[in-house]
Amino acid sequence: MNDLLFDLAFYVTVPFWALMVFAPTWSWTHRIVSSPWIVLPPLGVWAVLGVPRLPELWALFTTPTVEKLTAFAADGAGITLIWAQVIAWDLFIGRWMYLESRRLGIHPLIMGPLLVLTILLSPIGLPVFLVLRARTRA
């Protein structure tokens, strides 16, 4: 079950990423991606596993340690929870980047690869976009 939910957390975001990367100027892309609710599918996966474990999660994240997080992540359900949260956050960041790029007129051929980088490594994609955004606004 954990394997299925782990995969599902990513696959439910693929249509939104595909719209932003491959159909960025289509009017429906903007309509769909404008809604912050697009992050609900991966958060739904999180909820399936997380809600029953809320007391454990609360204890874990209010007094985190490397040892506790390592043990939590070693569990299939634990790493799936973390994965679903990361995927939802990445989509939220990518959504904001897409909307900003459209507002600022950044060309889709620049944004497409940058959004793919953000899917794979958002800690690199977001700062690169912030630099691009600052230069575009200047």
Side-chain angles (χ1 to χ4, degrees):
M1 179 69 147
N2 290 329
D3 290 345
L4 173 65
L5 290 172
F6 185 91
D7 291 342
L8 187 61
F10 176 73
Y11 289 127
V12 296
T13 68
V14 169
F16 304 115
W17 285 110
L19 286 171
M20 292 186 288
V21 172
F22 298 113
T25 60
W26 186 40
S27 64
W28 277 97
T29 299
H30 193 271
R31 284 185 202 151
I32 292 166
V33 174
S34 288
S35 171
W37 298 106
I38 66 172
V39 299
L40 282 184
L43 292 179
V45 172
W46 185 95
V48 166
L49 293 169
V51 169
R53 297 176 74 172
L54 281 177
E56 176 189 359
L57 290 168
W58 183 260
L60 176 66
F61 290 107
T62 56
T63 57
T65 66
V66 171
E67 294 79 19
K68 285 195 234 176
L69 283 169
T70 301
F72 183 77
D75 172 46
I79 196 63
T80 300
L81 278 165
I82 293 168
W83 179 244
Q85 183 173 330
V86 167
I87 293 298
W89 182 246
D90 285 354
L91 181 58
F92 192 75
I93 291 169
R95 171 192 172 272
W96 175 78
M97 289 169 54
Y98 165 80
L99 293 171
E100 273 293 283
S101 73
R102 301 307 304 146
R103 185 180 70 80
L104 296 171
I106 300 172
H107 200 278
L109 290 177
I110 294 171
M111 282 309 298
L114 187 50
L115 286 168
V116 171
L117 177 62
T118 302
I119 294 167
L120 300 173
L121 294 168
S122 63
I124 296 172
L126 178 59
V128 169
F129 177 74
L130 292 174
V131 169
L132 176 62
R133 179 178 176 250
R135 297 181 135 246
T136 302
R137 295 171 88 189

